[in-house]
Amino acid sequence: MINKYLYAERRLRIPEYVYFILTERCPLKCPQCYNVGKEPKEMLFEIFVDNFDQAREMGVKKIALIGGEILFYSDIEKVLGYVSESDIYCTFASSGYNIEKIIHILKQSNNIYPIISLNASKKEIDKITRDGFEYSIKAMQLLEENNIAYSINWVAHHSNVNDFSDFLDFVFGRGAENVLILQTKRNTEDIVIDNLTEKDVQKLSEIVTQSSFKNRIMVDRCSAYLQERLFGRKEKRTVGKGCCAGEFIMAVNVDGKYQPCQHMSIISNELKLNEAWTTSEKFALVRDSRQGCITEIK
């Protein structure tokens, strides 16, 4: 059955992606991080299974596992093992921390796709906004050695734009399939770290336009601004460009509660995933407001 867009309700019939916030724990201290709680919690494996099964019964075809650092999650092997037995496509973003303990699962699975987070080709640039450079490099090496397909998340900052051309050579030379550009958000202290300037965006546009890897560079769907500036794409709102919270995606938090997006603290009162997607008044308000969390360019 086609997953139709319901214009009157401003949502897809079923979510395109359900995000599972498995853990708020992380061994790293990234300056750009927006997801570190004072008392970090984890999702019970039983809560994951219950909501994963609900999503599958609803007809959801794609999920994403997020954190914190999901490879720091106590039951990550159980979760990936459970997912690998299904026909649901699953992505997860990670610094690469401790990835060696799940390599055997990734080698055997055909529906789990890792995305490694890295912001620069050099540690001195990467550490301005991220932590764990060595973990990311080791993960890329292991994935390439084991012929496991993967992509890269690159968050655009003022400090790393001039490195982007070298960065593309660096990651594509180590087996990455694609690079996804993300726009920075406010961190846990409500501060925008090292934000882009208009000159940075112009420079980034020139690098992308001239790159031989142009067809392997993508922009996160949340950033319609960068989509247009880097690729000249000005697409209709209803194909998922710009903030898509509650419209194309939803999240299950560590407590098993439902949010329009993992970046929003709004929590639905509904007790079932399908009910949150179809009847939640809080989801409806988010859809009507269409206010995202992307920071403005300086």
Side-chain angles (χ1 to χ4, degrees), residues 52-235:
F52 180 86
D53 288 348
Q54 287 187 55
R56 183 166 47 183
E57 291 169 6
M58 190 178 174
V60 172
K61 300 299 182 185
K62 302 174 183 177
I63 68 165
L65 307 177
I66 56 176
E69 169 53 72
I70 76 150
L71 300 186
F72 204 54
Y73 176 55
S74 302
D75 288 321
I76 187 59
E77 292 177 81
K78 290 171 65 176
V79 163
L80 293 180
Y82 194 79
V83 171
S84 68
E85 296 175 354
S86 75
D87 60 353
I88 289 183
Y89 177 73
C90 170
T91 65
F92 70 85
S94 168
S95 67
Y97 173 87
N98 217 14
I99 199 170
E100 56 271 14
K101 75 176 184 180
I102 64 159
I103 285 290
H104 66 288
I105 299 175
L106 298 179
K107 288 176 68 174
Q108 296 169 4
S109 168
N110 60 7
N111 64 329
I112 301 174
Y113 189 82
I115 304 174
I116 303 301
S117 298
L118 186 66
N119 282 357
S121 64
K122 305 172 184 66
K123 182 176 181 178
E124 58 267 28
I125 301 174
D126 189 66
K127 71 179 183 181
I128 296 172
T129 54
R130 287 197 54 82
D131 189 13
F133 182 81
E134 296 84 358
Y135 295 130
S136 301
I137 303 307
K138 181 179 180 181
M140 292 164 61
Q141 180 181 350
L142 283 173
L143 292 168
E144 183 180 20
E145 288 175 353
N146 286 278
N147 296 313
I148 298 170
Y150 74 97
S151 288
I152 297 289
N153 274 347
W154 181 85
V155 182
H157 289 280
H158 173 68
S159 63
N160 64 357
V161 166
N162 287 331
D163 175 66
F164 191 58
S165 183
D166 289 342
F167 179 81
L168 295 175
D169 290 335
F170 183 77
V171 298
F172 288 132
R174 287 160 177 78
E177 288 192 325
N178 301 290
V179 168
L180 178 66
I181 298 175
L182 297 93
Q183 198 169 327
T184 188
K185 299 176 175 63
R186 295 183 179 275
N187 66 9
T188 51
E189 298 176 348
D190 200 32
I191 297 172
V192 181
I193 295 293
D194 196 34
N195 198 13
L196 292 170
T197 66
E198 283 290 345
K199 288 185 178 180
D200 293 331
V201 176
Q202 180 59 39
K203 176 65 175 179
L204 188 59
S205 175
E206 293 171 0
I207 293 172
V208 170
T209 301
Q210 297 169 13
S211 175
S212 61
F213 301 113
K214 182 178 179 179
N215 293 334
R216 297 166 68 183
I217 303 170
M218 301 175 289
V219 175
D220 178 46
R221 67 190 303 170
C222 295
S223 182
Y225 175 78
L226 286 184
Q227 284 274 7
E228 182 177 351
R229 290 294 302 274
L230 302 187
F231 295 104
R233 297 172 184 163
K234 205 167 185 178
E235 302 184 55

